[in-house]
Each structure stands twice: as structure tokens, then as C-alpha cells.
Amino acid sequence: MNTKEAQVFKKKLLVEKAELEKELASIGEKSPTAKNGWEATTKDMEVDKADENEVADKLEEYEGNTNILGQLDGQLAEVNAALDRIAKGTYGICEKCGQPIEKDRLEANPSARTSIKHAHK
């Protein structure tokens, strides 16, 4: 992959990174103590402790946000890894066989680590 092509993918990855960080911020907040750097929150944790339904709703929202946060954080990690590969000059090379990853695969998934042949192995 030439430098110009890599820069095109870098721009796409940076846009995706910004979108993921925005989504993460809508359901969580950065936390230096959290394993992945993000911790789920709810919009308003202030609830009337006497209202069991309200407490249950907030707990359910928190659990849902935790699951979504994990998925988004995983996607963000893949995007950051792809950006690192661009910086190292190894972007677009299959981690399984060392051959170039198909351009159409990278167009569909710019953070792909493997060729289509090795995608599900």
C-alpha cells in the first residue's frame, strides 16, 4: 500500500475514532480506574430510593450502557490499532499470511487485521 492510500484510510479511521468517542461519551465517561478507560453512566443517577421501579430502571439502563460501552470500546481499540499500523508502515498487511489485505475489505472495514481468506479463522 502506498503512502497516499494509507493517508486516505487514516482519515477514515480518524473520523470513525471521533464518532466512537462521541458515542462512548454519550453513555459513559472516561475513567482512569476503569479497565478500558471508560465507565458506563446513566443520564441522571439521582433517583428516589423509595421508588423501586425507578431504581430498577436506572440499574437496567446502566447495565445496557455497560454492554454497549464494551462493544464501542472494542471497536475503538481496533481503530487505534489500525492507526498504529499506519504509523508503523504495516497497515493493510494480513496478520495471518503477510499478504496485502484486499482494498474492498479495507473500504468496508478500515481497521481489518486480516484478509478475507483469514477473517473467520
Side-chain angles (χ1 to χ4, degrees), residues 1 9 13 16 75 78-79 81-83 85-86 90-96 99-116 118-119:
M1 172 170 301
F9 285 111
L13 288 161
E16 185 176 352
Q75 290 174 317
E78 289 298 315
V79 167
L83 290 167
R85 291 192 301 276
I86 289 173
T90 59
Y91 180 79
I93 304 298
C94 179
E95 292 182 352
K96 299 288 184 180
Q99 297 299 311
I101 298 172
E102 301 85 354
K103 295 277 191 285
D104 57 339
R105 175 153 169 75
L106 291 173
E107 286 290 337
N109 179 9
S111 59
R113 294 175 176 264
T114 61
S115 64
I116 292 171
H118 297 105

Side-chain angles (χ1 to χ4, degrees), residues 28-57:
E29 57 189 28
K30 284 197 169 208
S31 170
T33 59
K35 177 182 172 187
N36 56 14
W38 289 88
E39 186 173 345
T41 61
T42 61
K43 292 178 183 144
D44 181 18
M45 282 299 283
E46 298 295 322
V47 294
D48 181 1
K49 293 186 184 4
D51 186 348
E52 292 178 11
N53 290 329
E54 190 175 354
V55 172
D57 288 346

Side-chain angles (χ1 to χ4, degrees), residues 10-29:
K10 182 177 181 179
K11 286 179 185 177
K12 289 181 181 194
L13 288 161
L14 289 172
V15 167
E16 185 176 352
K17 179 179 179 173
E19 289 171 359
L20 287 167
E21 287 176 339
K22 183 178 177 181
E23 287 182 60
L24 282 162
S26 74
I27 60 167
E29 57 189 28

Side-chain angles (χ1 to χ4, degrees), residues 57-75:
D57 288 346
K58 286 299 174 184
L59 287 174
E60 186 175 334
E61 180 182 353
Y62 178 80
E63 288 175 4
N65 286 351
T66 299
N67 291 333
I68 294 168
L69 190 133
Q71 293 171 356
L72 293 173
D73 191 59
Q75 290 174 317

